[in-house]
Amino acid sequence: MLPALLSLAVAAQGQRLVIKNSCDTEPLWIAHEAGGGVGPDEQNLKIEPGKSFTFTTPDNLKATRYWPKMGCDSDGNKCQLGGSGGPSEICDTKLGCAPPVDTKFEATFGQKGEGCDPSKQEFTGCEWIDVSMVDGWTLPFKFEVTGSCVSTSSGKTVSDVSIDCSKVSIDDCPTAESIEGVGSLDLRLKHPQTGQLLGCYSPCSKLTLRSWNNTIAKDHTPQDAVAAPYCCPTPPESPDACRKGPVGETQYVKAVHKKCPGVYGYSYDDGMGLMTCTAGAIYTMTLYCPSSLPSPSPSPPSPPSPPSPSPPSPSPSKCSVGDSVSCPGSSALCAGDACCPDGSTCPSAEKSYQGCSKPKSKDCTEEQTETMVVV
């Protein structure tokens, strides 16, 4: 009875998401975004081993994403794991941003006290929740919901959901995934300098994310004939064609289904990873140590006197989709479908990407030198 009352009290205060660090040896930094910019809480919030933090999630907070980082400097930047870019994020200046295959929680929060019944077109009181592994994973986790939710795929209503992915390991990541038209691919995410294993690509991510010198992705986009059966963009892939295609039989998806029962392993999978919950539910994300701990990034020594600020690096005039590039007018880096600190879309994002509050102010994927967008 007491835990339920505490959950209701937390929800009433606009705090519906609790993230716990159950890695007993290393701190985590949690990066987050909302609506294309930084969310309501401190960016790169540090959570010590065994501790937790309850994030601010007011009614109608939209397009949120929370993901863990490890092996960071003292400011939670330049991380060995999870440094995949985002609003106000600083990636490694030499390597650029990591591929965004992070373990993550995504949500659009609804209005408490309002109805949530999609069958009656009642959406104001609905919350859209996603803990899928469609992109990949970095850390093992357990996800729990105190409240009522409906599986987007099955339509079944469930209460007090528990999704246990605490046993997933880098050892479960395929090292010889057979991809039609390409051959055998190692899906393990390796640090380009140290070679340390940091996570696992999904087949789609391996084929399309160009960060960290992933050379196979330079020849593919999610819509092309090779990647589409694994990425399942609609169009050209219909949900039925996706389910009947090769992605459901990959080693990767089978590993997700075995170690994370109920979680999406690919688009249009039949798991519980994508849910519609009644506003006011409490979401608890518990994160565990990875198979091997990343080495922390050393903090730079303090200079004897502050140097003159350097002008921001210019964005390249030409790039490929997914390349690590500088945000216009900023020293921050971004890669592919991501947002710059000012809310504008990353210059190397797909043309169809609309996840930021502003469009591209510079598009280096165009054939011409640059395209300016007036906002």
Side-chain angles (χ1 to χ4, degrees):
M1 184 67 177
L2 184 57
L5 291 174
L6 289 174
S7 295
L8 290 173
V10 169
Q13 297 171 13
Q15 296 174 306
R16 287 169 268 198
L17 173 62
V18 180
I19 297 182
K20 297 180 179 180
N21 179 7
S22 282
C23 181
D24 58 4
T25 57
E26 293 291 331
L28 294 175
W29 283 263
I30 303 299
H32 72 307
E33 60 181 282
V38 178
D41 290 289
E42 175 188 349
Q43 186 65 302
N44 297 332
L45 191 140
K46 188 177 184 179
I47 304 179
E48 296 289 353
K51 302 296 184 181
S52 64
F53 185 82
T54 303
F55 286 82
T56 304
T57 52
D59 286 345
N60 302 311
L61 183 66
K62 300 185 184 303
T64 68
R65 178 175 180 250
Y66 300 78
W67 69 99
K69 307 196 297 179
M70 297 185 79
C72 307
D73 66 17
S74 58
D75 295 322
N77 285 309
K78 301 178 182 177
C79 305
Q80 300 295 299
L81 181 151
S84 53
S88 298
E89 291 292 287
I90 300 175
C91 300
D92 188 289
T93 54
K94 293 182 179 179
L95 301 176
C97 299
V101 300
D102 312 288
T103 294
K104 58 186 176 292
F105 169 87
E106 296 177 319
T108 285
F109 296 98
Q111 178 77 39
K112 293 189 296 292
E114 297 293 331
C116 176
D117 189 344
S119 67
K120 297 180 180 179
Q121 300 298 303
E122 295 178 357
F123 299 108
T124 307
C126 293
E127 301 188 329
W128 312 96
I129 308 301
D130 186 8
V131 290
S132 78
M133 289 183 166
V134 170
D135 300 320
W137 80 75
T138 49
L139 297 186
F141 69 93
K142 186 175 183 180
F143 179 68
E144 299 167 288
V145 182
T146 302
S148 177
C149 300
V150 177
S151 168
T152 302
S153 59
S154 68
K156 295 180 180 179
T157 300
V158 291
S159 297
D160 298 337
V161 176
S162 180
I163 296 176
D164 191 349
C165 300
S166 61
K167 303 301 182 184
V168 70
S169 163
I170 196 66
D171 294 334
D172 300 308
C173 188
T175 59
E177 185 72 82
S178 179
I179 302 295
E180 294 181 6
V182 175
S184 179
L185 293 179
D186 185 349
L187 299 187
R188 296 174 300 174
L189 174 63
K190 301 177 183 179
H191 192 280
Q193 287 184 333
T194 66
Q196 189 169 19
L197 300 177
L198 299 174
C200 188
Y201 289 94
S202 69
C204 173
S205 293
K206 183 65 178 179
L207 287 170
T208 60
L209 297 180
R210 295 177 171 88
S211 305
W212 279 10
N213 197 32
N214 180 28
T215 55
I216 190 68
K218 293 186 180 297
D219 299 323
H220 301 290
T221 66
Q223 292 80 20
D224 72 31
V226 171
Y230 299 92
C231 298
C232 298
T234 303
E237 293 286 307
S238 68
D240 185 59
C242 180
R243 294 189 182 103
K244 292 179 179 178
V247 64
E249 295 301 315
T250 58
Q251 297 176 55
Y252 175 84
V253 170
K254 291 179 179 179
V256 169
H257 288 173
K258 180 179 180 180
K259 291 300 182 75
C260 300
V263 170
Y264 271 38
Y266 66 97
S267 298
Y268 306 116
D269 198 356
D270 292 325
M272 271 291 294
L274 185 62
M275 294 173 280
T276 304
C277 302
T278 302
I282 300 298
Y283 310 101
T284 302
M285 188 83 163
T286 303
L287 298 162
Y288 300 91
C289 294
S291 304
S292 60
L293 292 170
S295 302
S297 296
S299 298
S302 300
S305 59
S308 301
S310 300
S313 301
S315 295
S317 59
K318 296 184 68 175
C319 68
S320 297
V321 172
D323 283 352
S324 290
V325 298
S326 296
C327 288
S330 170
S331 60
L333 295 175
C334 64
D337 294 347
C339 305
C340 289
D342 64 354
S344 65
T345 302
C346 181
S348 66
E350 290 275 3
K351 294 182 184 298
S352 59
Y353 183 63
Q354 298 180 345
C356 302
S357 58
K358 298 178 183 178
K360 293 184 181 183
S361 60
K362 180 174 289 187
D363 190 346
C364 57
T365 65
E366 297 281 4
E367 290 185 357
Q368 58 266 34
T369 301
E370 67 179 40
T371 299
M372 298 302 296
V373 179
V374 179
V375 294

